[in-house]
């Protein structure tokens, strides 16, 4: 990430328009005109997403944020292949997403570790499910667990780990399969404030070391600005892209100095106004009436 001028754009995700035949080689995730319709208990249609389009460049960190009900998690699950869109397309590395695949790893809000397995055993699980030989998966899991700073805790079981440590095991499990894209659904929301800030710094360090493309969902504006190169904001009912904000900060600064920088404050304010702009406009109209 490099220093960039913050700029909000209305539905301006960049890259080729939907329908273009070729995808630039630097595009890791391409979401085009994605819509999702559910049916409620009475069989009525509920549109969760409508015509969502944006792209994520290789090695970029992109946050998905917006008010409740805008379909952030649904969109992430579609990218992962856990759900199918009603219309539109998603491709990763130029290949259409038709289900889960080893080119994507996901970290959920809660790590959901297997209680009878050690931390290392949990990290091995995805590799084991893919049929990776024991020695190979053990080596890959060991490398991943050391990457998240848990080498000394590899033999502990989940009940012996703190909340932050369990979430780091979840991240290591996703990284162990060496995915091209790491997807994260509010991965730090269940942690206390101090642990959350520590995990945010660790994620930036992991990204600096691996260069992984990361797409994450967050309700936390501070987190979105601190971690992301760009933030895609969604409007609710149905979920749709409202704007894209460039939020890249100066990576030559330590993380704590980035948090307290004028650039951070400016980008956070712009993001807040982008998300709450309609409410502000409505309030101003009511005051003028």
């Amino acid at each position: 990430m490099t220093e960039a001028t913050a700029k909000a754009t209305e539905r301006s995700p960049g890259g080729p328009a939907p329908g273009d035949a070729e995808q630039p080689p630097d595009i890791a995730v391409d979401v085009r005109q994605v819509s999702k319709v559910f049916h409620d208990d009475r069989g009525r249609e509920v549109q969760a997403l409508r015509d969502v389009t944006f792209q994520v460049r290789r090695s970029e960190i992109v946050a998905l944020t917006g008010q409740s009900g805008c379909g952030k998690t649904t969109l992430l699950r579609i990218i992962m292949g856990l759900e199918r869109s009603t219309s539109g397309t998603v491709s990763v590395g130029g290949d259409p997403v038709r289900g889960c695949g080893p080119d994507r790893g996901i970290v959920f809000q809660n790590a959901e570790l297997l209680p009878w397995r050690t931390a290392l055993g949990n990290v091995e699980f995805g590799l084991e499910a893919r049929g990776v030989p024991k020695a190979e998966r053990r080596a890959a899991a060991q490398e991943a667990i050391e990457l998240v700073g848990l080498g000394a805790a590899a033999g502990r079981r989940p009940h012996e780990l703190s909340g932050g440590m369990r979430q780091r095991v979840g991240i290591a499990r996703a990284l162990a399969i060496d995915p091209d894209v790491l997807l994260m659904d509010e991965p730090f929301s269940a942690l206390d404030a101090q642990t959350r800030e520590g995990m945010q710094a660790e994620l930036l360090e992991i990204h600096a070391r691996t260069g992984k493309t990361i797409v994450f969902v967050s309700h936390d504006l501070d987190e979105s600005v601190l971690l992301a190169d760009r933030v895609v904001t969604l409007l609710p009912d149905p979920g749709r892209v409202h704007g894209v904000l460039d939020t890249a900060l100066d990576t030559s600064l330590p993380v704590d100095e980035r948090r307290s920088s004028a650039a951070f404050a400016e980008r956070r304010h712009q993001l807040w106004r982008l998300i709450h702009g309609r409410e502000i406009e409505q309030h101003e109209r009511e005051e003028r009436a």
Side-chain angles (χ1 to χ4, degrees):
M1 293 185 291
T2 58
E3 184 71 12
T5 301
K7 178 177 64 178
T9 57
E10 290 293 315
R11 291 185 60 82
S12 179
D20 285 357
E22 293 187 3
Q23 177 177 296
D26 66 333
I27 297 301
V29 180
D30 190 7
V31 178
R32 299 191 180 208
Q33 300 294 311
V34 165
S35 296
K36 178 68 176 181
V37 176
F38 294 102
H39 290 85
D40 64 16
D41 294 339
R42 298 182 179 180
R44 296 174 299 190
E45 287 190 353
V46 177
Q47 186 156 26
L49 297 169
R50 185 178 70 196
D51 296 334
V52 173
T53 295
F54 67 93
Q55 294 178 323
V56 182
R57 293 183 286 270
R58 296 188 189 279
S59 296
E60 188 177 30
I61 303 179
V62 168
L64 306 177
T65 192
Q67 299 177 20
S68 296
C70 67
K72 300 181 294 295
T73 295
T74 298
L75 179 56
L76 197 78
R77 289 174 62 85
I78 289 173
I79 297 172
M80 181 62 195
L82 293 170
E83 294 188 25
R84 301 188 68 175
S85 62
T86 304
S87 61
T89 62
V90 176
S91 62
V92 173
D95 297 323
V97 171
R98 296 189 174 92
C100 296
D103 56 349
R104 285 149 287 144
I106 191 166
V107 179
F108 298 103
Q109 292 182 32
N110 298 300
E112 302 294 342
L113 304 180
L114 301 174
W116 60 88
R117 287 196 174 211
T118 63
L120 185 62
N122 271 281
V123 174
E124 285 187 69
F125 181 73
L127 297 167
E128 185 178 337
R130 292 175 56 194
V132 176
K134 184 175 181 179
E136 183 180 342
R137 70 174 185 254
R138 178 57 58 94
Q142 187 67 46
E143 180 180 354
I145 207 164
E146 289 177 0
L147 180 64
V148 301
L150 285 180
R156 299 183 192 177
R157 286 182 167 76
H159 72 276
E160 300 174 298
L161 303 173
S162 68
M165 294 171 78
R166 287 194 295 271
Q167 200 62 5
R168 282 151 73 185
V169 173
I171 294 172
R173 181 175 57 194
L175 290 172
I177 64 172
D178 194 24
D180 297 323
V181 178
L182 181 63
L183 306 172
M184 310 180 82
D185 185 10
E186 296 190 73
F188 311 135
S189 61
L191 305 177
D192 64 83
Q194 288 186 341
T195 304
R196 183 165 60 248
E197 288 189 359
M199 291 296 299
Q200 291 165 354
E202 286 191 22
L203 181 62
L204 288 172
E205 177 63 25
I206 290 170
H207 178 259
R209 293 172 62 182
T210 66
K212 294 293 183 187
T213 303
I214 299 175
V215 182
F216 72 97
V217 167
S218 180
H219 280 101
D220 188 331
L221 302 191
D222 287 11
E223 179 175 81
S224 297
V225 171
L226 178 69
L227 299 181
D229 296 299
R230 291 185 299 142
V231 179
V232 177
T233 61
L234 301 173
L235 291 174
D237 303 319
R240 58 205 187 276
V241 174
H242 176 48
V244 180
L245 184 68
D246 295 328
T247 52
L249 298 171
D250 185 356
T251 56
S252 68
L253 296 175
V255 175
D256 60 333
E257 292 185 24
R258 293 181 221 174
R259 293 182 191 273
S260 59
S261 68
F264 178 91
E266 178 187 5
R267 287 152 172 73
R268 190 194 186 285
H269 178 66
Q270 290 177 322
L271 181 57
W272 187 90
R273 288 193 64 88
L274 188 58
I275 292 173
H276 297 285
R278 292 196 308 169
E279 298 172 14
I280 296 170
E281 291 174 2
Q282 182 178 351
H283 179 69
E284 290 174 346
R285 285 195 299 268
E286 291 174 351
E287 284 191 333
R288 290 193 298 267

